Amino acid sequence: MQERLPRKLAAILYADVAGYSRMTGQDEDATHRSLRQRLDQLAETIESNGGFIVHYAGDAVLARFDAALDAVSAAIKAQELFNLTAMGENGGNEITFRMGINLGDVIEDQGDIYGDGVNIAARLETLADPGGVCISESVRTALGNKLPVDFESIGSQQVKNIAEPITAYRLLIGGAAKTIKAVNGASQTDRKPSILVVPFVSRTHDPEDGYLVDGITEEIRLGLCRFKGIMVIARGSSNKVMEQSMDSVGAAKQLNADYLLEGSVQKGGSKIRVSASLTKTSTGQQVWAERYDRTLENLFEIQDEVSQRIITKLIGSIEEESKDSALRKGTDNLTAYDCVLRGNHYFGDWRGSRENMELAAEMYQRAIDLDPQYAAAYAGLASVRFRCFEKGWTDAPEETGEASFRLARKAVELDPHDSLARLVLAVASFKVRQNVELTHTQIQAALELNPNQFWNYCFKCWFSTCVGDFEEGIHCGIEAIQRNPLLPDGCLYSIGFAEYLAGRYEKAIEAYGRMSHPYPEDEACIAACYAQLGRLDEAKEAGKEFRRRIASEDPDKDPGSDPQKWKDYWLELFPLKDQAALDHVIDGLIKAGLIT
């Protein structure tokens, strides 16, 4: 079987002139002069927004961008410019473009791009109005709320030579270029208020209540996470500072949190008391405190009430609809909810053991049996299946991987607003199905739904690096670390590799140097960095450290000096979609003497 050609994720803009043949028949010279002027203006707008022209085909233009945001910004600005200057040119026959934008995989070859990603952009152009822009669902998801522009869904469209229907949106352009300029020129120093939610404590000291107390803390934290006006410090960092026996206010200050939420849970029979307080870190002043005495059947009510009170204190006036989305619950069945809390406890935030995965799976499956419409239970079980697939804890890896994909897709179908479901579907889409476009769509949706979730940014950091968007990968890694400052190794791992691939070898070494526990492969990449900088003695030492560690920690994966084994080794860690990126890695390893 022939090797699959490498692909790269790109935003593609296809523009074509409406009614060009008719205008040419009326006045060929005037039409061509107007076309040349418009094409020059379009090219300038595309390049000023980070894109480049791939080719011209008569009155049509194909352009490529690294980001959907840049492609849409360019299209809006160009159409605004054309609309403002289309006053009676060519005897009233103005050159008017239709534009289509898609985000998808492309094949690069001899200066051109090919594939369904390009074909869909061309078909979207035919759905646009003259002077308008039509975008795919993947572009709409990637944009989120980043541009102050409205969209109109035109539903699922069957277009020529594309097997599956595509969901399309029209951009409602009107003064949008001005608002984009305002957004691009706006200050980036605006800072959201941040809050540290420390683990609530149990007043009954019963180990059996541990999962319940953790679950209450996590549900309140997640309620806050869904609010874009707040930055919530990740649970991992919170747990880590509290393990250092530091007082809560000191922990909040160490993590640069503006506010601190702490509380306790006391359970007695069927009754429960939850106490919570909110403190302003800078002054140590208690902003709000409350105690709730309820029965266990009212547990959801308590969690909602605590979250709502805190949101009100931090944000002030909030629309009721936004509150409802922040306080969403997935089930009314308390027993099913209890099972999911137990499953989350065993799962251990993607770090659980094989034995704990079996216990977590049992809990999630029990929750599904109790409430077959409970999205969080499906998302949890999908996470378990994927971890077993990734770690090799299964006798049927293909079936286990597919199960994780199907379960995650089911969770998204049941609750499209569940950020975890979107994240797990993104992970399975890339690692099980190798579907770059679906992965990008799902991780963008996860980030839109929960912009405070460390794992959303951490995965996108790694994914962006794999598909060749190194700058986005580094950006997402930094965003992840801001949300989880004490557990950055996984993100620094990807940031270091992205910096190497971007040719910034000293920055890559710096990123690896910040890791608490570097992996053996990091030593190999450090060796490649030193070699690329011409610091061969240091490259040799790093290479020796790699050999020592791989021999003691994972000898079965030692690639030796064989170039193909090294390629396989790196592709397992980072399934790079660009052959040039892989060649860059191999070049550094050869210079470092690890490949002979």
Side-chain angles (χ1 to χ4, degrees):
M1 185 175 68
Q2 289 186 329
E3 184 178 352
R4 188 173 184 264
L5 293 172
R7 286 159 171 78
K8 191 171 184 179
L9 186 68
I12 305 103
L13 184 152
Y14 189 88
D16 198 6
V17 175
Y20 182 72
S21 298
R22 173 182 56 79
M23 289 187 289
T24 301
Q26 292 175 354
D27 191 336
E28 187 172 21
D29 289 348
T31 299
H32 185 67
R33 281 193 292 269
S34 296
L35 176 64
R36 286 182 59 184
Q37 180 184 5
R38 287 295 192 232
L39 290 176
D40 288 343
Q41 292 170 330
L42 180 57
E44 183 179 345
T45 305
I46 287 170
E47 290 169 5
S48 67
N49 282 273
F52 67 91
I53 303 291
V54 178
H55 70 235
Y56 298 94
D59 61 316
V61 178
L62 178 65
R64 178 192 150 173
F65 297 78
D66 289 333
L69 177 66
D70 296 334
V72 174
S73 297
I76 293 175
K77 290 177 182 178
Q79 294 290 38
E80 287 279 340
L81 173 64
F82 297 158
N83 291 339
L84 287 170
T85 57
M87 297 299 182
E89 65 174 40
N90 193 25
N93 289 330
E94 294 89 0
I95 296 291
T96 306
F97 283 94
R98 293 188 179 96
M99 297 184 185
I101 303 174
N102 182 42
L103 181 68
D105 279 354
V106 297
I107 298 171
E108 294 180 312
D109 188 27
Q110 297 181 344
D112 211 336
I113 56 176
Y114 307 88
D116 271 353
V118 177
N119 297 337
I120 290 173
R123 299 303 174 224
L124 287 166
E125 175 270 322
T126 65
L127 301 175
D129 296 324
V133 181
C134 192
I135 64 173
S136 65
E137 185 173 28
S138 59
V139 174
R140 175 68 187 93
T141 303
L143 286 180
N145 298 316
K146 295 174 184 174
L147 289 178
V149 62
D150 292 324
F151 305 88
E152 177 190 15
S153 173
I154 58 175
S156 183
Q157 302 287 322
Q158 186 68 59
V159 294
K160 183 179 178 182
N161 294 333
I162 302 296
E164 298 293 329
I166 57 176
T167 301
Y169 298 81
R170 289 195 182 102
L171 268 62
L172 304 180
I173 301 173
K178 294 180 182 178
T179 53
I180 288 171
K181 184 176 180 181
V183 170
N184 289 344
S187 170
Q188 298 300 313
T189 59
D190 294 338
R191 186 173 178 272
K192 300 175 184 178
S194 57
I195 183 169
L196 173 67
V197 183
V198 300
F200 281 29
V201 298
S202 172
R203 295 299 183 195
T204 54
H205 306 292
D206 185 348
E208 282 296 311
D209 292 339
Y211 78 92
L212 177 64
V213 177
D214 290 345
I216 291 173
T217 307
E218 184 65 6
E219 286 296 336
I220 293 172
R221 192 183 71 81
L222 287 175
L224 296 172
C225 278
R226 295 189 183 102
F227 230 56
K228 296 181 182 179
I230 305 171
M231 177 178 283
V232 184
I233 304 299
R235 179 178 58 189
S237 289
S238 169
N239 292 345
K240 195 163 185 178
V241 293
M242 298 310 293
E243 287 170 2
Q244 299 170 3
S245 300
M246 185 181 297
D247 69 275
S248 300
V249 174
K253 287 181 177 178
Q254 180 178 334
L255 295 169
N256 296 317
D258 299 309
Y259 294 89
L260 166 72
L261 175 68
E262 52 191 341
S264 64
V265 178
Q266 186 172 355
K267 179 183 168 188
S270 63
K271 294 186 177 182
I272 186 169
R273 170 177 289 177
V274 177
S275 302
S277 64
L278 185 68
T279 303
K280 191 168 184 178
T281 306
S282 59
T283 63
Q285 178 184 1
Q286 194 172 85
V287 177
W288 162 84
E290 194 69 77
R291 187 177 71 190
Y292 304 88
D293 291 312
R294 301 284 193 276
T295 63
L296 280 172
E297 286 73 16
N298 300 123
L299 183 59
F300 296 159
E301 179 185 324
I302 299 172
Q303 292 164 176
D304 286 355
E305 197 168 342
V306 173
S307 296
Q308 189 172 19
R309 290 291 187 92
I310 296 162
I311 289 169
T312 302
K313 286 291 180 182
L314 288 178
I315 301 301
S317 178
I318 301 168
E319 295 180 1
E320 289 302 317
E321 183 179 352
S322 298
K323 287 183 183 178
D324 290 343
S325 67
L327 302 174
R328 180 181 294 110
K329 290 290 175 288
T331 184
D332 293 323
N333 188 312
L334 189 61
T335 306
Y337 175 70
D338 181 271
C339 289
V340 166
L341 289 186
R342 291 175 184 268
N344 294 343
H345 175 75
Y346 290 126
F347 185 66
D349 208 12
W350 299 90
R351 296 186 181 89
S353 65
R354 184 171 187 173
E355 292 74 18
N356 278 354
M357 289 303 102
E358 294 175 1
L359 294 170
E362 182 181 342
M363 289 295 105
Y364 291 134
Q365 186 59 58
R366 190 179 300 174
I368 291 170
D369 294 340
L370 290 164
D371 183 354
Q373 303 302 309
Y374 192 6
Y378 286 94
L381 189 55
S383 304
V384 169
R385 295 292 179 244
F386 180 79
R387 180 156 173 80
C388 292
F389 164 78
E390 185 178 42
K391 300 294 288 186
W393 296 339
T394 172
D395 295 329
E398 290 187 9
E399 290 85 344
T400 304
E402 278 298 316
S404 72
F405 179 85
R406 289 194 305 272
L407 288 162
R409 187 168 58 186
K410 176 69 173 178
V412 170
E413 289 172 358
L414 289 171
D415 186 358
H417 303 288
D418 189 317
S419 172
L420 175 61
R422 295 280 191 172
L423 171 62
V424 181
L425 183 54
V427 173
S429 295
F430 191 63
K431 292 193 173 183
V432 177
R433 290 287 186 92
Q434 292 84 49
N435 188 324
V436 172
E437 185 172 1
L438 181 58
T439 303
H440 188 274
T441 299
Q442 295 303 324
I443 192 57
Q444 283 300 120
L447 284 166
E448 283 297 318
L449 290 165
N450 190 345
N452 283 295
Q453 175 54 265
F454 161 77
W455 289 111
N456 289 345
Y457 279 106
C458 195
F459 173 73
K460 196 181 180 196
C461 170
W462 177 84
F463 166 68
S464 298
T465 301
C466 291
V467 299
D469 194 349
F470 309 133
E471 302 306 325
E472 179 68 7
I474 293 165
H475 165 74
C476 288
I478 293 169
E479 289 287 331
I481 291 170
Q482 286 179 350
R483 288 158 176 79
N484 202 352
L486 298 184
L487 293 172
D489 272 11
C491 292
L492 288 170
Y493 167 79
S494 297
I495 289 173
F497 193 55
E499 292 284 16
Y500 174 87
L501 293 173
R504 295 188 289 264
Y505 308 117
E506 290 182 347
K507 283 187 172 293
I509 294 169
E510 179 184 342
Y512 286 127
R514 291 170 58 198
M515 293 179 68
S516 302
H517 305 287
Y519 305 106
E521 59 266 24
D522 298 329
E523 304 292 350
C525 198
I526 292 170
C529 289
Y530 281 129
Q532 297 287 13
L533 291 168
R535 295 158 61 176
L536 298 182
D537 289 342
E538 290 163 291
K540 186 176 180 181
E541 288 304 311
K544 286 181 180 178
E545 181 63 13
F546 167 78
R547 295 292 188 201
R548 183 190 69 78
R549 289 194 57 191
I550 198 73
S552 63
E553 297 175 28
D554 205 351
D556 291 339
K557 291 191 176 181
D558 188 346
S561 301
D562 183 88
Q564 187 56 52
K565 288 183 178 179
W566 270 105
K567 289 180 181 180
D568 295 340
Y569 179 75
W570 278 108
L571 288 174
E572 183 177 343
L573 300 168
F574 288 89
L576 300 170
K577 300 302 178 183
D578 186 357
Q579 182 63 42
L582 183 58
D583 291 343
H584 186 184
V585 177
I586 299 303
D587 176 66
L589 296 171
I590 290 172
K591 290 177 179 177
L594 285 168
I595 297 177
T596 56

